[in-house]
Amino acid sequence: MTTYLLVHGAFHSGECWRRTATLLRAAGHRVHTPSLTGYGDLAHLLGPEVGLDTHVDDIVRLVEAEDLTGVVLVGHSYAGLVVSAVAERVPGRIARLVFLDAMVPKDGESAAEALPLSRAMIDAALRSESGWRVPPPRELPPPDGLFGVTDPADLAWLRAMLSDHPVRCLQQPVRLTDPAAAAIERTHIHCTALPKGFVRPPVPRLQPNGNPARIRELPTGHDCMITMPRELADLLLELA
């Protein structure tokens, strides 16, 4: 039995993993899909003080409280920053990092450096009336939709779980200095049906541990856990 810890990205909640988590559990594995502070059942805690450090603490607390080991730690989108920082805190508990269409930071980088288009969201939030709220992106015409979701029923489900994202999450840098964390194996899963003009920062040819980069692809939009849950589960099961 493998332990999967699936960490949602900005705006979402742990609910987004429901379909993929059901498939992983049916295959006999242990699956955790927490909502980060400010989302889902913790939406009432959303505020300007919530940052990347808050979300890292959320996941580290869960790992330690549940005494999880041998974890396949999956970070979607913004949560690439979260899982990178979590691995620095508890490297001995993590078997593999999976960056699911995710930001992949270098040491000292924030979201603004890991994914430069985040800078526009940061600037807009700082100029807004609240001074800190980053709203979910607007829905685009098909085939882009909302995070790549276009089915009407799926869109209704997705909209119901979305919340604003605190700008501090995009401003705080990740520190990556622990050799034990660098030694963890990594897999990148890229969603290939992305909006026109989106440029994905390239994945380095070698992992931090010196092994060749491992990259898989899914022919769908950003929220593949909603649009291709079976295919995503199959890829994750390969890592069990």
Side-chain angles (χ1 to χ4, degrees):
M1 182 179 69
T2 296
T3 297
Y4 292 92
L5 177 45
L6 312 180
V7 186
H8 66 81
F11 313 114
H12 294 60
S13 74
E15 171 69 6
C16 71
W17 299 107
R18 186 205 302 171
R19 295 170 180 172
T20 297
T22 297
L23 294 167
L24 295 174
R25 291 184 181 114
H29 301 288
R30 185 181 188 186
V31 186
H32 294 270
T33 60
S35 289
L36 300 172
T37 296
Y39 301 98
D41 57 340
L42 301 177
H44 61 287
L45 299 178
L46 184 71
E49 73 285 351
V50 174
L52 174 61
D53 56 348
T54 313
H55 293 158
V56 174
D57 287 344
D58 289 340
I59 301 304
V60 171
R61 275 196 301 269
L62 172 62
V63 169
E64 293 180 338
E66 296 289 336
D67 195 21
L68 304 183
T69 58
V71 175
V72 175
L73 181 58
V74 181
H76 178 240
S77 195
Y78 152 77
L81 303 176
V82 178
V83 301
S84 296
V86 169
E88 287 284 308
R89 296 266 299 273
V90 287
R93 294 179 178 271
I94 310 302
R96 180 180 295 272
L97 291 173
V98 180
F99 293 88
L100 178 58
D101 221 37
M103 300 182 189
V104 185
K106 300 182 181 72
D107 179 39
E109 287 189 336
S110 68
E113 289 80 38
L115 190 65
L117 63 82
S118 302
R119 292 172 186 156
M121 293 189 287
I122 293 170
D123 291 343
L126 295 176
R127 292 194 305 266
S128 71
E129 182 178 352
S130 71
W132 62 272
R133 287 180 176 269
V134 180
R138 61 186 178 87
E139 185 177 334
L140 299 173
D144 295 326
L146 183 60
F147 298 108
V149 178
T150 57
D151 177 81
D154 287 348
L155 279 168
W157 179 43
L158 174 60
R159 291 190 198 102
M161 73 179 78
L162 296 181
S163 300
D164 289 349
H165 194 55
V167 71
R168 191 164 179 259
C169 296
L170 305 179
Q171 294 173 308
Q172 289 186 306
V174 177
R175 302 304 311 187
L176 306 175
T177 59
D178 189 340
I184 298 171
E185 277 292 308
R186 292 146 199 262
T187 298
H188 301 263
I189 301 176
H190 291 167
C191 299
T192 59
L194 297 178
K196 183 178 180 180
F198 178 86
V199 178
R200 187 194 311 279
V203 173
R205 186 175 59 85
L206 297 178
Q207 300 181 44
N209 63 11
N211 291 337
R214 182 170 175 161
I215 303 172
R216 304 299 299 274
E217 293 184 343
L218 287 172
T220 189
H222 188 53
D223 276 6
C224 58
M225 72 289 289
I226 294 176
T227 58
M228 297 188 81
R230 166 63 68 182
E231 293 82 354
L232 174 58
D234 287 344
L235 287 181
L236 294 177
L237 288 169
E238 290 179 11
L239 308 177

